[in-house]
Amino acid sequence: MSDEILKEAMDEFRAAEEAESENRKLSLEDVRFARLNEHWPDKVRKQREIEGRPCLTIPKLPAFIRQVVNDARQNKPAIKTHPVDDKADVKTAEIYNGLIRNIEYISDADVAYDTGVECAVDRGVGYWRVDIDYANDDTFDLDILIKRISNPFAVYRDPSSTSADSSDWNTAFFVDKMTKGAFKRAYPGAKKVDWKMDFAGVDSAWIDEDSVMVADWWRREEVQKTVVLLSDGSVIDADRLEQIRDLLEPAGLSVKSERQVRSFKVRRYKLTGAEVISEDKWPGKYIPIIPVYGDDFDIEGKRYLRSLIHNAKDAQTMFNYWRTTSTELVALAPRVPFLGPKGAFKTDAAKWQTINTVSHPYVEFDVVPNAPNGGMPMRQSLDSGVAAGALQEALNASDDMKAIVGLYDASLGARSNETSGKAIIARQKEGDVSTFHFIDNLTRAIRHTGRVLIDLIPHIYDSPRIVRVLGEDGSQTPTPINQEVPVKDEQGNPVMEPAIGPDGQPQMQPVTDEMGQPVVDQNTGQPQMQPVMKPKTEIYDLTAGKYDLVVSSGPSYTTRREEAATQMGNLIQAFPQAATVVGPEMAKNLDWPGADEIAKKLEAMTSGQVPPQIQKQIDDGMKQMQSLKQENEQLKADKSDKIAEIQANEELEKLKIASNERIQQQKIESDKEIAIATANFKAALAARQQAALGMQQQPMMGVPG
């Protein structure tokens, strides 16, 4: 059996090798021309080197390659899945999307995609492959990986394929070399015989005495398999039915029908030139090698693959030739000889011998009688038109390259004859259109990659486990799959739902009071009943349902979110009333820490619902404001009392001053009255004394002496 497989593999390989021989030869010439600058034929280069003539290489084609490749890197296609039948759902489709993004992340799939499209541009075809490996060293869980193929010449595709991807491949080879030590450790006892390849384009450095060339042969066969319909409407393979048959009856399931369907079986054989050293059964139905084609066309049933620069090689060669010619002509100008009559060069003959190589301060010549100007030597003039013509031809060759490739100055970032921004953008778009088939072929390849992943995921992620799901913005969420998971609300509390009985009706139970006694309905006298509540659960079953996919091509997520934020900001400036609606979405697209949380808060506020954490902050703020208000009122009261006290003291002081003034005035007035009374008293006393004295001096009338 092994010999039959080996013979069949060799026959298939020779057929693939023969079908691809011309494409491989031209592809190798293109990549060596574009990347290794092998522009001059060996015979011409050697002849010019012998003659000491310049042989310039000025590579302009890599700039065209980088323009297309980097445009593809900036507009990376993204895989998105959608539910198809009633067994699939939107949430599980989101798990598929996040899981595929995680597969791409852990595999560095962007490197595989970039390598594939770069090979398609500079040599006509590139590849990457999908593989399966253990998730970690300490687990039996498998993960799907996307790996790059740096050397597309290592792949030999199905010669009968006509699809734009590898969806119809029934055979393919991937050849690689292993060191003899690694080969012995991996396959002890196997013969170290190289897998034979007669294609002359394969780099001879591949095959050496210290390595062994091995080949992976992928073979797909059409088979008939049996599927069964269960009583719950699910359809499973008959092979899987045998594994779960013991679980059907307890779950109330039974087989309703079965039928034969067309399917495919894929196997991988590891081959040397002498034997089959291993055989693996592949769980999917596609050969997991994904091609991304360059310029792909079919003529009379024969498929041709061409690179971006294939038709521009002659123009590049002519550009090198004419630039070399112009350089050679200009370089020869200082060596134009001096002419003069015989005998004019006798004096300073040594200087005349080195006149074109050494700078002499002066050189003497011998005057020749009867010769014009005394026979003074004259340098011959160089026809500058020859160099100008060569430069013009070089410019023509440069323009030819742009016209052939379809990328002009504006597309390459150089100044051109366009003056307005719109004209420059229009020319750039024309360049993008002329090379868009390379970007579109990349999209087709990634679409088929998504098809391969969707085909493999139910087989690889078929048991209960927790997988990492990546969001479009890079957020990571550990998600249980193929098992029931409690549903929780935003606060993390379990969501409850009525329990459903075998009859499909909600289960009921009596209502009880605080003592645990049934509550009786006063009208009917019967116990009050209520639904039995249970935690709500959901299951992300990756093995059930059918999912389809689309591939969206455009700027990266970071670029699109920045552009979206800018446009939303412009909208809010032009229409401020839209801030309440646009604000949450704008916050989601802002690229700074906490933007997502702010978006959630704005969205909740816009919908009239305040999140608990925000409500707590508001309540704490209100309490703080109330406390500050009370303190402010107390301060105001204290201030009023202080002011009243100050005012009272001021009034008291004024009263004291007024009282003192009144007392002082009354004292003055009293002193005046006392002084007047005293003066009057003194005057009256003096008058009485005077009167008394006069009476003593005169006898009293009528009184006998």
Side-chain angles (χ1 to χ4, degrees):
M1 183 64 179
S2 176
D3 292 339
E4 294 178 1
I5 293 175
L6 186 62
K7 182 180 183 304
E8 183 181 355
M10 288 183 175
D11 292 340
E12 292 283 355
F13 184 82
R14 279 193 289 269
E17 192 177 46
E18 181 180 355
E20 296 184 24
S21 59
E22 182 178 353
N23 283 331
R24 283 175 170 263
K25 180 180 178 181
L26 295 178
S27 176
L28 184 61
E29 291 177 358
D30 288 353
V31 70
R32 297 185 73 90
F33 187 94
R35 296 302 191 182
L36 300 182
N37 298 330
E38 296 181 358
H39 295 183
W40 292 85
D42 291 339
K43 183 177 180 180
V44 175
R45 177 183 289 277
K46 290 179 181 179
Q47 182 63 35
R48 295 180 74 91
E49 289 176 353
I50 292 173
E51 297 174 359
R53 301 176 63 187
C55 194
L56 303 182
T57 299
I58 306 174
K60 295 174 70 70
L61 295 179
F64 298 105
I65 294 174
R66 288 192 297 269
Q67 179 66 29
V68 178
V69 171
N70 292 336
D71 187 24
R73 290 186 177 188
Q74 290 179 335
N75 297 275
K76 194 82 69 183
I79 302 171
K80 294 184 178 180
T81 62
H82 300 282
V84 175
D85 59 9
D86 58 344
K87 299 298 180 182
D89 63 88
V90 175
K91 289 187 177 181
T92 306
E94 288 299 323
I95 300 299
Y96 263 88
N97 291 332
L99 183 56
I100 290 174
R101 281 191 287 266
N102 183 62
I103 292 171
E104 292 178 323
Y105 173 76
I106 63 177
S107 307
D108 290 330
D110 57 332
V111 178
Y113 298 159
D114 294 341
T115 303
V117 71
E118 187 168 353
C119 291
V121 173
D122 66 15
R123 67 195 76 183
V125 64
Y127 301 94
W128 59 78
R129 59 194 177 102
V130 178
D131 205 350
I132 298 171
D133 200 356
Y134 288 106
N136 295 293
D137 294 339
D138 57 353
T139 182
F140 287 91
D141 291 334
L142 293 172
D143 273 342
I144 301 174
L145 302 174
I146 299 173
K147 297 182 178 180
R148 80 166 185 158
I149 297 178
S150 58
N151 181 13
F153 295 115
V155 177
Y156 292 79
R157 59 187 177 274
D158 188 345
S160 61
S161 171
T162 58
S163 66
D165 47 45
S166 61
S167 59
D168 65 344
W169 283 12
N170 292 320
T171 183
F173 290 85
F174 176 73
V175 296
D176 196 8
K177 70 175 181 179
M178 302 175 63
T179 64
K180 289 186 176 180
F183 181 86
K184 183 177 180 180
R185 290 190 298 270
Y187 309 104
K191 299 177 182 179
K192 302 181 182 66
V193 180
D194 287 320
W195 177 259
K196 301 298 182 181
M197 294 179 298
D198 298 329
F199 171 54
V202 174
D203 192 344
S204 59
W206 275 26
I207 303 176
D208 53 50
E209 296 181 355
D210 297 328
S211 64
V212 179
M213 185 67 64
V214 296
D216 285 345
W217 179 36
W218 294 88
R219 184 173 70 170
R220 187 175 77 155
E221 298 176 305
E222 183 175 338
V223 295
Q224 295 290 328
K225 70 175 183 179
T226 304
V227 295
V228 297
L229 175 66
L230 300 181
S231 56
D232 64 347
S234 59
V235 179
I236 62 174
D237 292 345
D239 295 339
R240 191 181 179 195
L241 176 65
E242 297 300 325
Q243 301 174 2
I244 64 173
R245 185 176 294 276
D246 295 339
L247 303 177
L248 295 181
E249 186 175 350
L253 298 176
S254 61
V255 177
K256 295 183 62 177
S257 179
E258 65 178 41
R259 70 183 183 94
Q260 297 290 318
V261 297
R262 173 175 173 266
S263 184
F264 294 95
K265 178 178 66 175
V266 179
R267 291 186 179 274
R268 173 173 55 182
Y269 300 92
K270 182 77 70 173
L271 309 172
T272 65
E275 60 185 323
V276 179
I277 55 179
S278 69
E279 177 183 351
D280 299 323
K281 181 180 179 181
W282 184 253
K285 64 181 180 180
Y286 299 105
I287 293 178
I289 298 177
I290 317 299
V292 49
Y293 296 121
D295 196 359
D296 180 12
F297 54 94
D298 187 294
I299 298 178
E300 296 182 345
K302 187 174 182 179
R303 193 169 192 175
Y304 297 88
L305 302 175
R306 296 293 179 264
S307 67
L308 173 72
I309 53 88
H310 177 75
N311 295 326
K313 290 191 296 183
D314 287 346
Q316 172 71 78
T317 302
M318 292 306 298
F319 180 81
N320 291 335
Y321 174 78
W322 288 115
R323 287 301 302 269
T324 300
T325 300
S326 64
T327 301
E328 188 175 16
L329 292 173
V330 174
L332 287 174
R335 296 198 294 269
V336 173
F338 280 84
L339 296 181
K342 185 176 181 180
F345 301 99
K346 292 180 180 180
T347 303
D348 285 345
K351 292 183 178 180
W352 283 109
Q353 291 290 339
T354 59
I355 191 67
N356 286 326
T357 58
V358 180
S359 178
H360 300 292
Y362 64 89
V363 181
E364 296 180 347
F365 71 96
D366 297 291
V367 177
V368 179
N370 301 324
N373 296 324
M376 181 176 66
M378 302 291 294
R379 188 188 292 274
Q380 295 301 298
S381 62
L382 179 67
D383 185 5
S384 61
V386 177
L391 290 174
Q392 182 59 49
E393 289 298 328
L395 291 176
N396 292 340
S398 179
D399 291 340
D400 289 341
M401 279 186 279
K402 299 173 188 176
I404 292 170
V405 175
L407 296 174
Y408 295 90
D409 293 336
S411 297
L412 299 173
R415 293 179 60 87
S416 58
N417 56 355
E418 293 88 354
T419 56
S420 67
K422 290 184 177 180
I424 294 174
I425 294 174
R427 177 62 65 88
Q428 290 175 339
K429 288 183 177 180
E430 288 298 322
D432 292 341
V433 170
S434 66
T435 59
F436 182 73
H437 55 293
F438 290 95
I439 310 297
D440 195 41
N441 287 347
L442 174 64
T443 301
R444 293 173 181 174
I446 294 180
R447 181 189 300 118
H448 183 54
T449 303
R451 193 179 295 119
V452 172
L453 295 178
I454 291 176
D455 178 48
L456 287 176
I457 285 175
H459 300 284
I460 305 303
Y461 302 91
D462 59 346
S463 60
R465 59 188 288 192
I466 296 178
V467 297
R468 181 174 60 179
V469 173
L470 290 187
E472 189 178 7
D473 59 350
S475 59
Q476 303 180 10
T477 306
T479 304
I481 60 172
N482 304 323
Q483 56 186 302
E484 290 190 354
V485 180
V487 179
K488 297 183 179 180
D489 57 19
E490 295 180 356
Q491 290 74 34
N493 301 318
V495 176
M496 307 300 291
E497 66 177 358
I500 305 300
D503 57 353
Q505 299 298 322
Q507 296 181 0
M508 306 299 290
Q509 64 181 359
V511 178
T512 58
D513 56 17
E514 296 179 355
M515 303 299 294
Q517 298 299 321
V519 178
V520 178
D521 191 335
Q522 298 296 331
N523 297 326
T524 62
Q526 298 296 325
Q528 296 182 8
M529 304 298 289
Q530 63 181 1
V532 176
M533 304 300 292
K534 68 168 186 175
K536 183 179 180 180
T537 60
E538 57 187 0
I539 181 172
Y540 302 122
D541 188 357
L542 302 187
T543 64
K546 294 182 180 180
Y547 296 87
D548 200 356
L549 76 155
V550 295
V551 175
S552 60
S553 180
S556 64
Y557 179 80
T558 302
T559 303
R560 287 187 286 116
R561 70 181 296 181
E562 290 175 354
E563 182 179 357
T566 301
Q567 296 295 336
M568 291 178 187
N570 295 337
L571 175 61
I572 291 176
Q573 289 181 356
F575 187 58
Q577 293 83 350
T580 56
V581 178
V582 180
E585 298 299 324
M586 180 178 177
K588 292 178 183 178
N589 290 279
L590 294 176
D591 193 14
W592 36 265
D596 293 337
E597 292 299 324
I598 292 177
K600 293 179 182 178
K601 296 173 183 178
L602 289 175
E603 189 171 11
M605 294 176 64
T606 303
S607 62
Q609 299 178 356
V610 181
Q613 62 273 22
I614 302 300
Q615 186 63 49
K616 184 177 183 302
Q617 294 177 4
I618 294 175
D619 295 340
D620 293 342
M622 293 297 294
K623 292 179 181 179
Q624 187 175 4
M625 290 179 62
Q626 186 66 26
S627 177
L628 291 174
K629 183 177 179 181
Q630 293 176 356
E631 292 180 2
N632 190 31
E633 293 294 335
Q634 185 64 37
L635 289 174
K636 287 183 178 180
D638 295 343
K639 183 177 180 181
S640 299
D641 295 342
K642 189 68 175 177
I643 293 174
E645 182 180 356
I646 293 173
Q647 291 176 348
N649 291 336
E650 290 178 350
E651 291 295 332
L652 181 59
E653 189 66 26
K654 290 180 181 179
L655 290 175
K656 288 181 179 180
I657 294 173
S659 177
N660 290 336
E661 290 178 352
R662 285 196 297 272
I663 292 173
Q664 189 66 26
Q665 185 65 30
Q666 290 176 358
K667 182 179 180 183
I668 294 173
E669 293 178 356
S670 177
D671 290 344
K672 288 182 179 180
E673 291 178 356
I674 292 173
I676 295 173
T678 302
N680 291 336
F681 177 75
K682 289 181 178 180
L685 182 59
R688 289 184 66 180
Q689 290 178 352
Q690 188 66 31
L693 184 59
M695 290 180 63
Q696 291 178 0
Q697 293 178 357
Q698 294 180 7
M700 296 182 60
M701 295 300 293
V703 176

